[in-house]
Amino acid sequence: MHDLIRQAEALCQRSGMAFTAPRRRVLEILAASETPMKAYDLISKAGEGGQATKPPTVYRALDFLCQLGLVHRIEQDATFVACNHAGHSHPMALFVCNTCLKATEVAYDEVVPILEKAAEVQGFHLTRLVVEGRGQCRDCALAA
Amino acid sequence: MHDLIRQAEALCQRSGMAFTAPRRRVLEILAASETPMKAYDLISKAGEGGQATKPPTVYRALDFLCQLGLVHRIEQDATFVACNHAGHSHPMALFVCNTCLKATEVAYDEVVPILEKAAEVQGFHLTRLVVEGRGQCRDCALAA
DNA sequence: CCTAGTATGTTATTACATAACACTACCTAC
DNA sequence: GTAGGTAGTGTTATGTAATAACATACTAGG
Ligand SMILES: [Zn+2]
Ligand SMILES: [Zn+2]
Ligand SMILES: [Zn+2]
Ligand SMILES: [Zn+2]
């Protein structure tokens, strides 16, 4: 998980952006979490020990990290998860296990042109795509 | 748009469910709307004229209508839109125009097996799929 | 009637997210 | 150096989305 932090430092340096304390803190917490986290859990966690942390601080950090592709927002349930393809920009889907709540990240290049085409048939030009799912992950399937 | 109401009546009758006043009201408002609506706009709108309408009433109606497939929830921005394939149960994607905010509903059967397979490779078994997008719709493209 | 099932009404609360403004650090032009 | 711009944070307050919990009403079956 420390890889991700180093990844972030490098990425920021290259693009002339600051990897500041709150941004680092939020990313560290997310990277250490087994499952996607809700914003307010993140806010409490970030406030543990040090000074109290307020919503805008964390939301700003999340926006930043999401834009860099280091963190993904899961729209289905408004949670956030650290990326495990560190800095990828290829299309990916996030599948959340109903049992253990962990998220599985899956690349799906194949799908994009199909959806783009399907949209284009109706005259719709896609600029952003959200693909998410629910189901059962490998570990939970084996445990059953 | 009245088609949808009749559709709903028929669907409820067949499955022994009640198409009650609040459910009808919510569906009527959504069917009359050009664009997807936020829950609280729906709540205000439902309260116009008659008695005040409170959140749980509308959220319950929305849950009901979503389960029947008469309404879809757009996860990206927590809005709700009446289905225009009335009672379909095939997989569909919802693409929202950045300009006019209208939603375009697109069938995409092709995509499902690909995503299922991609998930299965990682041992993940899909039970629900959310496909959404953003972009520009036909009308707005022509206007530009 | 009575009661189980289904749905609504109402109050209160919880959870998610942002507006607005003050302040700091840093960089660059003059 | 110092004035002004940019980027980022801290803080207060508020806006927006969703649900918990419990009371009440309607309806069909025994
Ligand atoms: Zn990722
Ligand atoms: Zn699992
Ligand atoms: Zn539909
Ligand atoms: Zn449009």
Side-chain angles (χ1 to χ4, degrees):
Chain A
M1 308 300 167
H2 257 216
D3 293 346
L4 193 53
I5 304 292
R6 271 188 282 112
Q7 265 271 2
E9 281 169 348
L11 229 165
C12 287
Q13 201 138 32
R14 254 184 285 137
S15 33
M17 286 161 151
F19 192 55
T20 58
R23 290 169 181 176
R24 170 187 295 266
R25 184 107 175 87
V26 167
L27 184 58
E28 279 171 352
I29 295 171
L30 277 178
S33 172
E34 290 267 297
T35 59
M37 290 182 72
K38 304 193 171 207
Y40 273 69
D41 291 345
L42 211 41
I43 291 165
S44 318
K45 193 100 180 177
E48 281 176 11
Q51 69 196 338
T53 304
K54 314 248 176 82
T57 304
V58 168
Y59 277 104
R60 287 194 280 232
L62 285 170
D63 286 349
F64 177 84
L65 295 168
C66 284
Q67 271 181 357
L68 260 62
L70 295 164
V71 166
H72 305 303
R73 181 177 198 274
I74 301 178
E75 309 285 348
Q76 289 178 77
D77 48 9
T79 56
F80 299 86
V81 65
C83 174
N84 56 28
H85 296 67
H88 69 110
S89 64
H90 57 269
M92 52 82 211
L94 283 166
F95 300 138
V96 179
C97 176
N98 285 321
T99 308
C100 67
L101 303 181
K102 288 184 193 168
T104 302
E105 195 169 337
V106 173
Y108 67 94
D109 290 283
E110 265 182 295
V111 172
V112 178
I114 298 177
L115 281 171
E116 274 174 351
K117 206 173 134 196
E120 217 71 60
V121 168
Q122 308 218 15
F124 195 100
H125 182 67
L126 272 175
T127 57
R128 181 194 175 216
L129 199 48
V130 176
V131 178
E132 298 183 358
R134 281 270 174 180
Q136 189 174 46
C137 77
R138 170 181 284 134
D139 294 348
C140 291
L142 290 176
Chain B
M1 307 301 163
H2 258 214
D3 294 345
L4 193 53
I5 305 292
R6 273 188 281 110
Q7 265 271 1
E9 281 169 349
L11 229 165
C12 287
Q13 201 138 32
R14 255 185 284 137
S15 32
M17 285 160 151
F19 193 54
T20 57
R23 290 169 181 175
R24 170 187 295 267
R25 184 107 176 85
V26 167
L27 185 56
E28 279 171 354
I29 295 171
L30 277 178
S33 173
E34 290 267 297
T35 59
M37 291 182 71
K38 304 193 172 206
Y40 274 69
D41 291 344
L42 211 41
I43 291 165
S44 319
K45 193 101 180 176
E48 281 175 11
Q51 69 194 337
T53 304
K54 315 249 177 82
T57 304
V58 169
Y59 277 103
R60 286 194 281 232
L62 285 170
D63 286 349
F64 177 85
L65 295 167
C66 284
Q67 272 182 355
L68 260 63
L70 295 164
V71 165
H72 304 303
R73 180 178 198 275
I74 302 178
E75 308 285 348
Q76 289 177 80
D77 47 10
T79 56
F80 298 86
V81 64
C83 175
N84 55 29
H85 295 67
H88 69 110
S89 65
H90 56 271
M92 51 83 212
L94 283 165
F95 300 139
V96 179
C97 176
N98 285 322
T99 307
C100 68
L101 303 182
K102 288 184 194 168
T104 302
E105 195 169 338
V106 173
Y108 67 93
D109 290 282
E110 266 183 295
V111 172
V112 179
I114 298 177
L115 281 171
E116 274 175 350
K117 205 173 134 195
E120 217 71 61
V121 167
Q122 307 218 16
F124 196 99
H125 182 66
L126 272 175
T127 57
R128 182 194 175 215
L129 200 47
V130 176
V131 179
E132 299 183 358
R134 281 269 174 181
Q136 188 174 46
C137 77
R138 170 181 283 133
D139 294 348
C140 291
L142 291 175

